[in-house]
Amino acid sequence: MTPGDAERAVEHLVVVALSDESYPVRESALHAVLTASTHYELPYRVVEPLAVGADAFDPVLLDYVLGVLGSTHDQAVLPVAARFLQHPHPEVRREAADAVNEVRRSRETAQGEAVQ
C-alpha cells in the first residue's frame, strides 16, 4: 500500500471511529488506525478529527487516540495530549505522557539532525 493509499484508508477509519457505529466497530477502526500508524508516518491532518473529538471518547478508546496522535510527531498534539495528563484513569495519563514524550523526542531528534 502506498502512503497515499494508507492516508485515504485511515481517513475513512477515522470517520468510522467518530461515528455512531457500535462500540466494537469504533474500537476496531481505532485499532486499525493505530496499527497503520506503526507502518506509516501519518500526517497530523489525517487524524486531526480524532484530536478534535478526543473528549468524547471513553478511556479505552482514548488510549488508542492518544497513541495515534503521538505517532504523528506533530507539535499540534502537545496541547491535546497535555489535557489528559491529569485524567482520572491511569492508563489515559500514561498514554498522554507517552504521546507528549514521543513528540518531544521526535523534535529533539530533528533538531539534533539539523545541527549536524
Side-chain angles (χ1 to χ4, degrees), residues 7 27 34-36 41-44 53 55 58 63 86 105 111 114:
E7 287 178 24
E27 183 176 18
L34 186 60
T35 300
E41 187 152 339
L42 301 170
Y44 179 72
D55 292 314
D58 71 28
D63 285 352
Q86 302 302 317
R105 274 193 307 272
Q111 288 173 344

Side-chain angles (χ1 to χ4, degrees), residues 103-113:
V103 170
R104 287 184 178 157
R105 274 193 307 272
S106 174
R107 179 179 60 196
E108 290 166 3
T109 300
Q111 288 173 344
E113 290 172 357

Side-chain angles (χ1 to χ4, degrees), residues 23 26-27 30 53-65 87 89 92:
Y23 187 92
R26 293 174 59 228
E27 183 176 18
L30 285 169
D55 292 314
F57 288 104
D58 71 28
V60 172
L61 298 184
L62 190 53
D63 285 352
Y64 287 110
V65 170
H87 195 276
H89 289 85
V92 172

Side-chain angles (χ1 to χ4, degrees), residues 68-102:
V68 167
L69 294 176
S71 73
T72 68
H73 304 141
D74 194 297
Q75 298 297 305
V77 169
L78 294 176
V80 176
R83 289 196 330 250
F84 296 101
L85 292 173
Q86 302 302 317
H87 195 276
H89 289 85
E91 301 84 17
V92 172
R93 290 193 305 268
R94 187 172 29 259
E95 200 61 51
D98 288 349
V100 167
N101 289 332
E102 188 166 350

